[in-house]
Amino acid sequence: PLAPPGDADLSMRLQRSLDAAGFAFGPRGDLTELEEVVLATSHSIKCLALFHAFLIALYALLLEEPLGLVCIVGPVAGWWGAHRLSLVLVGIYLAACLLGVGWGFYVFVVRPFKFYQFVLFVISLWILQVVLKFWRYLSAVDPARARILASPRRRHAASQAAHNERAVRRLESGASD
C-alpha cells in the first residue's frame, strides 16, 4: 500500500506524483537490477574520479612535474562517462587507470622505496578495480537505454521517485507505531 490504511487521498496523491515522474511504484520502479547498480555506481565513479584527479594533481605538484597534470584527462573522462553513462568515456578512464597502475608499479619497483608511492599504488589498484566493475556493468546495458537513463529528465524522475518512496516508508513506519 502507498499510504496507511484508510488514507485513500494521500495514497492517490502519491500515486499521481509517481505516475507524473514516469515510474511504476515499487522498490525499483521500471529499472532492472543491473540499471539500478549502474546508476548507483555512476555516482561513486564521479566521486572517485574527482578524488583521483586531486591525487594526480597533488602527485604532479609534489614531484614538480607539471606535465603529470595531463594525466587528469583520465579522471575527467571518467567523471563525464559516469555522468553520461558513456561506455567510450569510461573506457578511456579505464585505460588511464591501467596506465596509472603500470606507472605506479614501475615507480614502486625501479625507484627507491617511498611509503607514499606505495600508498598511491594501492589506491590506484583500488580505483582500477572499481572502474573496471563499473565498465563491465555499463557494457551490459543497452547503449540506447543508457542514454535514456543518463538524461537529466530521467535523473530528476529517479530522484523524485526515490524521495516519494522514502516518504511512503516514513508514513508506513509511522502508521505501525
Side-chain angles (χ1 to χ4, degrees):
L2 291 177
D7 197 346
D9 183 50
L10 178 60
S11 179
M12 289 298 290
R13 284 186 285 151
L14 284 172
Q15 187 63 50
R16 268 189 251 118
S17 174
L18 290 169
D19 291 343
F23 272 64
F25 184 77
R28 284 182 247 165
D30 65 343
L31 299 176
T32 66
E33 190 173 334
L34 177 64
E35 291 169 347
E36 272 187 29
V37 170
V38 165
L39 286 175
T41 310
S42 73
H43 297 296
S44 301
I45 293 295
K46 289 195 297 188
C47 291
L48 201 58
L50 291 174
F51 175 69
H52 196 187
F54 172 77
L55 282 180
I56 290 171
L58 185 65
Y59 189 75
L61 294 174
L62 284 176
L63 295 178
E64 297 177 0
E65 292 182 30
L67 190 60
L69 292 174
V70 171
C71 297
I72 289 181
V73 169
V76 169
W79 191 93
W80 275 107
H83 183 73
R84 310 250 330 153
L85 299 181
S86 167
L87 193 59
V88 172
L89 291 174
V90 174
I92 290 169
Y93 187 33
L94 180 62
C97 288
L98 283 168
L99 289 172
V101 166
W103 173 255
F105 183 74
Y106 167 77
V107 167
F108 183 65
V109 170
V110 173
R111 293 189 181 171
F113 178 78
K114 292 185 181 168
F115 183 72
Y116 77 90
Q117 290 174 337
F118 174 73
V119 170
L120 289 174
F121 177 69
V122 170
I123 291 172
S124 296
L125 282 174
W126 174 69
I127 291 172
L128 173 65
Q129 180 243 347
V130 173
V131 172
L132 179 61
K133 278 185 183 179
F134 179 66
W135 183 83
R136 287 176 41 204
Y137 293 147
L138 185 57
S139 67
V141 174
D142 179 56
R145 180 68 177 162
R147 281 192 297 276
I148 292 168
L149 293 172
S151 71
R153 185 174 183 201
R154 173 65 180 170
R155 286 186 187 270
H156 174 72
S159 67
Q160 184 64 42
H163 171 74
N164 289 341
E165 189 175 327
R166 286 190 301 274
V168 167
R169 273 195 240 121
R170 278 195 306 271
L171 288 171
E172 287 176 345
S173 68
S176 63
D177 290 340

